[in-house]
Amino acid sequence: MSWIYYLLEANLYLSIFYVFYRLVLHKETFYAANRFYLLIASVLAFTLPFLQIGFLLKPALQYQQIAYNQVEEFPILTLENGLLLIYGIGAACLLLRLLVSFKHIIAMLAKADVKLENGLKVIELSNTKTAFSFFNLLFIDPSLPQKNIVVKHEMVHINQKHSIDVLLLEFVQIISWFNPLIYLLKKDIKLLHEYLADEATTKNEIAKYEYAMFLIQNTYDSQNLSLTNQIFNSSILKQRITMLNQKKSAKWARLRLLVAMPLVGAMLCTSTMAFTKDYGILDLYPKSNLGNFSPKQTTPKKAKAKEIVIEEPTRQVPPPPPIEKPRNKKLYGKKNGQNPPPPPKAPATKSLDIKIAPPPPPVEPKAPKAAKGEVLEIRLAPPPPIEPKPAKKG
């Protein structure tokens, strides 16, 4: 059930990140920092389960992981298979919904008139009273009042690549569809996109009061497209107007983001010590006495057999006796009244009596026996030549 354990662990971290955002960062006006925090948290929550700190692992836990990795045969109808089936059905439904949204955008793109303005594709949707953007595509009704404000608002979405954020959160939602906090996270990231676009629109040309009145007069219930950022969205209008009049947060308030760093460290320690898993593939700080342990290793490797050579003890030959130096007759003698020192005794050596056995006597070859009906031919060697005796003199 490693896949199920991984999903539960990743969504646990994602929930902790989001709760921290709602408690600490939600009401702050540094929208860009909050945006990047939610994006990094979404990616980090699914990355932390693969990390571990080997220094914190106990040797007993190491062997438990090795035993846990052993492959076992399970029957087909199990609780794990049932949970995976339910999870797959939910993920497939959300994936189908995403494909339908893509198809709807492509259908509008095929029916409408496409114009190219300053490298931007503008798709005019007549009599729709709508405006939204998707990557570098701007869908807009040409009959909208104050069209320049709408275009400026949507250009912020296009320039800051907000569609990438939306698409990333769509995939996270497909993976974690069973987590109710993922839907709130997706809503908040879109809300931050609108805060950024509203802030950039009201920075120079138009006053905040006039912009708020423009949104109130033109907002209505439009069609819900999950892949787009829509300026005229009635569900978030009140929050957008509230944040327009919100007092700017102090610069030191950004330091609250640093609180997330020990939070990440606590999650990493929890991932190492609180979960017995086989998907921790990256060890950030391995322990020296654990050796080359890898979580993917299913069975311990067999040690290679070493050849042991036993050498026979060599016989120690005693050292030769020291050579006696000639005595100095001047120093030692009867005249001086001194006796010469006795000669040094040679170390006692044990003589090794090694008796060599005499070789065995030669064996005369036996004459071969003749079989019945056979005649053996025996050839005698010629006699040696006789040397002539020398003749006697006289």
Side-chain angles (χ1 to χ4, degrees), residues 72-353:
E72 298 181 0
E73 296 181 358
F74 294 96
I76 298 176
L77 298 177
T78 59
L79 178 61
E80 179 183 359
N81 293 337
L83 293 176
L84 288 177
L85 180 60
I86 297 173
Y87 171 78
I89 293 173
C93 292
L94 290 181
L95 180 61
L96 182 62
R97 176 175 170 268
L98 179 64
L99 296 177
V100 170
S101 299
F102 273 115
K103 182 180 179 181
H104 188 58
I105 293 175
I106 294 173
M108 288 190 297
L109 184 62
K111 294 180 181 179
D113 298 331
V114 181
K115 295 181 180 181
L116 188 63
E117 298 180 3
N118 299 326
L120 179 67
K121 292 183 179 180
V122 179
I123 295 92
E124 296 183 351
L125 303 175
S126 302
N127 301 324
T128 56
K129 294 182 179 181
T130 185
F132 59 90
S133 61
F134 181 70
F135 287 96
N136 63 336
L137 302 176
L138 175 58
F139 298 83
I140 189 172
D141 186 355
S143 61
L144 284 176
Q146 299 183 357
K147 181 181 175 181
N148 58 334
I149 298 178
V150 178
V151 173
K152 186 177 181 180
H153 177 93
E154 295 299 330
M155 283 301 298
V156 178
H157 292 310
I158 294 174
N159 293 333
Q160 295 186 6
K161 311 297 181 182
H162 291 170
S163 296
I164 298 178
D165 304 356
V166 176
L167 194 60
L168 174 63
L169 267 296
E170 284 290 331
F171 284 111
V172 174
Q173 182 182 358
I174 293 174
I175 297 174
S176 305
W177 62 267
F178 54 88
N179 187 357
L181 295 181
I182 188 62
Y183 302 94
L184 301 177
L185 175 62
K186 179 183 173 183
K187 181 180 178 181
D188 283 350
I189 197 71
K190 282 190 173 184
L191 194 58
L192 287 173
H193 293 166
E194 297 301 329
Y195 291 163
L196 290 168
D198 294 340
E199 183 182 30
T201 305
T202 58
K203 191 173 184 179
N204 296 322
E205 299 179 1
I206 186 172
K208 294 182 180 180
Y209 175 77
E210 295 179 2
Y211 183 75
M213 292 302 298
F214 170 74
L215 293 177
I216 293 172
Q217 294 173 0
N218 295 278
T219 298
Y220 51 89
D221 294 332
S222 58
Q223 55 183 351
N224 186 17
L225 296 175
S226 59
L227 294 177
T228 61
N229 292 290
Q230 300 180 10
I231 183 174
F232 303 124
N233 190 351
S234 59
S235 62
I236 58 175
L237 177 61
K238 183 178 179 180
Q239 294 169 300
R240 290 170 62 184
I241 294 176
T242 302
M243 295 305 292
L244 277 175
N245 301 320
Q246 181 77 12
K247 184 180 178 180
K248 295 295 182 181
S249 301
K251 292 184 178 180
W252 63 266
R254 298 174 185 267
L255 297 177
R256 295 180 180 180
L257 290 169
L258 298 179
V259 183
M261 298 181 65
L263 189 65
V264 173
M267 292 180 186
L268 189 57
C269 295
T270 304
S271 176
T272 303
M273 297 185 294
F275 295 96
T276 303
K277 55 190 177 181
D278 59 344
Y279 48 82
I281 60 175
L282 182 59
D283 197 343
L284 299 181
Y285 192 74
K287 192 173 182 180
S288 58
N289 59 358
L290 289 180
N292 298 326
F293 169 71
S294 176
K296 286 187 175 181
Q297 185 178 349
T298 56
T299 55
K301 295 182 179 180
K302 295 182 179 179
K304 295 182 178 179
K306 296 183 179 180
E307 295 181 357
I308 301 175
V309 180
I310 301 176
E311 297 181 355
E312 295 182 357
T314 57
R315 296 180 179 178
Q316 295 182 356
V317 180
I323 302 173
E324 296 182 1
K325 295 182 179 180
R327 300 175 184 176
N328 193 349
K329 295 182 178 179
K330 293 181 180 181
L331 296 178
Y332 302 99
K334 294 182 179 180
K335 293 182 180 182
N336 295 333
Q338 295 179 0
N339 295 324
K345 295 181 180 181
T349 57
K350 295 181 180 179
S351 60
L352 300 176
D353 296 335

Side-chain angles (χ1 to χ4, degrees), residues 1-17 40-54 57 65 68 175-176 178 263-284 295-296:
M1 300 178 69
S2 58
W3 176 246
I4 297 177
Y5 291 152
Y6 167 74
L7 287 175
L8 294 177
E9 185 180 356
N11 280 272
L12 173 63
Y13 300 151
L14 185 64
S15 302
I16 294 174
F17 279 128
I40 294 174
S42 301
V43 176
L44 198 59
F46 289 90
T47 307
L48 282 176
F50 294 115
L51 307 179
Q52 64 180 4
I53 303 176
L57 281 175
Q65 288 183 348
Y68 180 78
I175 297 174
S176 305
F178 54 88
L263 189 65
V264 173
M267 292 180 186
L268 189 57
C269 295
T270 304
S271 176
T272 303
M273 297 185 294
F275 295 96
T276 303
K277 55 190 177 181
D278 59 344
Y279 48 82
I281 60 175
L282 182 59
D283 197 343
L284 299 181
K296 286 187 175 181

Side-chain angles (χ1 to χ4, degrees), residues 23-36:
L23 295 178
V24 180
L25 307 173
H26 176 60
K27 295 183 179 180
E28 303 298 334
T29 58
F30 37 85
Y31 309 124
N34 286 348
R35 172 200 174 193
F36 286 111

